[in-house]
Amino acid sequence: MKKKYHPYVPKWRPGQNVAKVRRRKALTRFIIILIVILLLFLGWVAFELLRPAGKSGKEGFLYVRPTTTLQQVEEQLTNEIGLRKLPLAAPFSKMLNVEKKLRPGRYAVKGNMSLTKLYRVLTVANETPLNLTFNNIRTQQQLVEKLSAPLAFEADSLNKLIENEAFCDSLGFTTETIRCLFIPDTYEVYWTISPNELIHKIVTNYHRFWNEERLKKAQKEQLTPVQICIIASIVEEESAKKDEYSDIAGLYINRLRRGMKLQADPTLKYAAGDFSAKRVAGALLQTNSPYNTYLHEGLPPGPIRFPQKSTLDAVLNFTHHNFYYMCAKSDFSGYHDFAQFYTQHLLNAQRYQQALNERNIH
């Protein structure tokens, strides 16, 4: 068996400089160590930038205004997602010029987001929309406060807009009937939406509700959407029983068509600003207001609350009957006794007044 031949390679060859060889080896080792350190550093940087920046399971919303600073952003993130102390946060944000790239808006943030993801959300991604819902509101002030509370703009800016005659006229309303525009619903909007943009979004919803079918039905009954809204607002204040809304609407429409005063108690309470009144009598009846339907004929100049879609439809599909009078039932069930003639109404009213006296309700 032949012996394997292994060529001999001397570590040092004649004529070589031993010092140079050693320096070359030292340099090679240094470069290898430097590369290892650099790889470790880059790995650490990647780990810091890509690992969760907050506490797992925590989430919330970050609100950025035009004047918001990066420090304020970090304070919000600490409160919302438990932002950890990140050694690379300051140099990384400075390198990317994050503070100058902050975009106003409302952003959904989660604890499991990385630092790079958070910065991308703030500087590149679209803001997170919110659902703006309002219902069961009587006054314009309540409406303005409800709409502006979750948004960036001030309540006063919206109030001034809907009190502007020229603006209301441009939409086909008056400063009183503009309230008919605001149909209770859920609107998807951005936190940074302006009052003007919000109203035009509500205008779109208004025209979506008042489609061709509903407009034809209203026209057939010789009613306008504004008139239906005003009647619906009175009906909602008159009763909590939705199954009699169409009956109540029919009664008020009967009175309007006969030229009778509505004498609707809810309009009187609205005029006086006293929604808790149990008895409508005395000085309350003389309240000096165009909303007092005991003094003034026809509909009041605007709605006395913001009626629901279902109530608008109940008025649009009102019951055709011969009733002109109604009174709350004496059993306090919340329903009403309807009457065609005033004499019958007086008997119903007498029973109700007696029931109030027995319970010592003033």
Side-chain angles (χ1 to χ4, degrees):
M1 187 173 180
K2 288 185 178 182
K3 202 172 183 180
K4 289 184 179 179
Y5 172 73
H6 298 284
Y8 172 71
V9 181
K11 294 182 180 179
W12 173 83
R13 295 185 180 90
Q16 284 185 322
N17 189 312
V18 176
K20 284 184 178 180
V21 173
R22 288 176 177 172
R23 283 197 296 271
R24 191 179 297 117
K25 289 181 176 179
L27 180 61
T28 302
R29 284 196 298 270
F30 174 76
I31 292 174
I32 291 173
I33 292 171
L34 191 62
I35 291 173
V36 171
I37 292 174
L38 182 61
L39 290 174
L40 289 174
F41 175 74
L42 292 176
W44 174 75
V45 169
F47 174 74
E48 284 294 320
L49 295 180
L50 298 177
R51 72 175 176 139
K55 294 180 180 179
S56 178
K58 292 203 70 175
E59 56 184 59
F61 291 97
L62 180 67
Y63 295 87
V64 179
R65 297 180 182 274
T67 56
T68 300
T69 64
L70 190 58
Q71 181 180 352
Q72 291 171 327
V73 167
E74 291 174 353
E75 289 173 357
Q76 286 190 60
L77 288 174
T78 300
N79 293 331
E80 294 295 317
I81 63 171
L83 184 68
R84 296 179 291 101
K85 295 293 182 181
L86 302 171
L88 291 181
F92 188 62
S93 61
K94 188 174 183 180
M95 180 181 72
L96 297 179
N97 202 15
V98 172
E99 186 157 21
K100 290 187 177 180
K101 293 180 180 178
L102 287 177
R103 299 172 60 191
R106 170 184 178 267
Y107 303 98
V109 289
K110 297 181 180 181
N112 61 5
M113 283 182 171
S114 65
L115 188 62
T116 53
K117 174 66 174 177
L118 286 173
Y119 285 161
R120 189 161 61 250
V121 165
L122 295 175
T123 60
V124 179
N126 294 326
E127 59 175 307
T128 308
L130 59 86
N131 288 328
L132 184 65
T133 302
F134 69 94
N135 52 51
N136 195 28
I137 295 176
R138 285 192 177 109
T139 68
Q140 181 171 307
Q141 188 60 36
Q142 290 173 337
L143 173 75
V144 168
E145 291 174 357
K146 182 74 173 179
L147 291 179
S148 61
L151 301 176
F153 63 72
E154 297 296 329
D156 190 52
S157 61
L158 176 60
N159 199 50
K160 285 181 179 178
L161 194 60
I162 58 182
E163 287 182 346
N164 185 292
E165 290 184 11
F167 178 77
C168 293
D169 184 65
S170 70
L171 298 176
F173 297 92
T174 67
T175 53
E176 298 287 349
T177 61
I178 189 70
R179 296 195 296 275
C180 293
L181 183 65
F182 296 83
I183 299 176
D185 208 339
T186 298
Y187 301 83
E188 186 178 81
V189 300
Y190 290 112
W191 179 66
T192 52
I193 193 171
S194 69
N196 204 308
E197 291 170 335
L198 175 61
I199 288 181
H200 280 88
K201 195 174 187 70
I202 289 173
V203 167
T204 300
N205 187 68
Y206 175 86
H207 290 300
R208 188 182 298 120
F209 176 81
W210 285 107
N211 54 28
E212 186 177 355
E213 181 184 352
R214 287 190 174 95
L215 287 174
K216 283 183 177 178
K217 189 173 290 187
Q219 189 176 22
K220 182 181 177 182
E221 296 294 348
Q222 298 182 326
L223 294 168
T224 67
V226 166
Q227 290 174 321
I228 289 172
C229 174
I230 294 173
I231 295 171
S233 73
I234 299 173
V235 169
E236 264 192 21
E237 282 291 326
E238 191 74 70
S239 174
K241 304 298 183 181
K242 294 184 178 182
D243 54 342
E244 68 172 5
Y245 279 3
S246 293
D247 294 334
I248 297 174
L251 182 146
Y252 283 130
I253 291 171
N254 285 346
R255 293 180 73 91
L256 283 172
R257 289 176 174 174
R258 181 175 279 196
M260 300 170 66
K261 292 177 181 176
L262 290 188
Q263 295 185 326
D265 292 357
T267 64
L268 190 58
K269 295 176 184 180
Y270 180 87
D274 183 5
F275 299 103
S276 61
K278 300 296 182 182
R279 291 178 185 258
V280 176
L284 196 64
L285 290 169
Q286 302 305 315
T287 302
N288 184 19
S289 169
Y291 285 86
N292 184 347
T293 55
Y294 276 83
L295 292 180
H296 303 282
E297 292 182 5
L299 292 172
I304 61 173
R305 70 176 292 120
F306 298 88
Q308 303 287 331
K309 289 180 180 179
S310 57
T311 312
L312 293 170
D313 277 332
V315 175
L316 193 57
N317 298 282
F318 68 90
T319 305
H320 292 75
H321 53 57
N322 296 319
F323 298 134
Y324 293 90
Y325 306 93
M326 69 178 179
C327 176
K329 283 183 174 290
S330 58
D331 61 2
F332 295 94
S333 63
Y335 285 97
H336 291 78
D337 283 320
F338 294 87
Q340 181 178 1
F341 302 107
Y342 187 61
T343 52
Q344 182 184 357
H345 170 66
L346 287 177
L347 293 174
N348 294 335
Q350 185 178 4
R351 283 197 299 271
Y352 180 65
Q353 293 295 331
Q354 185 178 346
L356 288 175
N357 292 333
E358 290 173 355
R359 290 166 175 76
N360 199 28
I361 299 175
H362 302 285

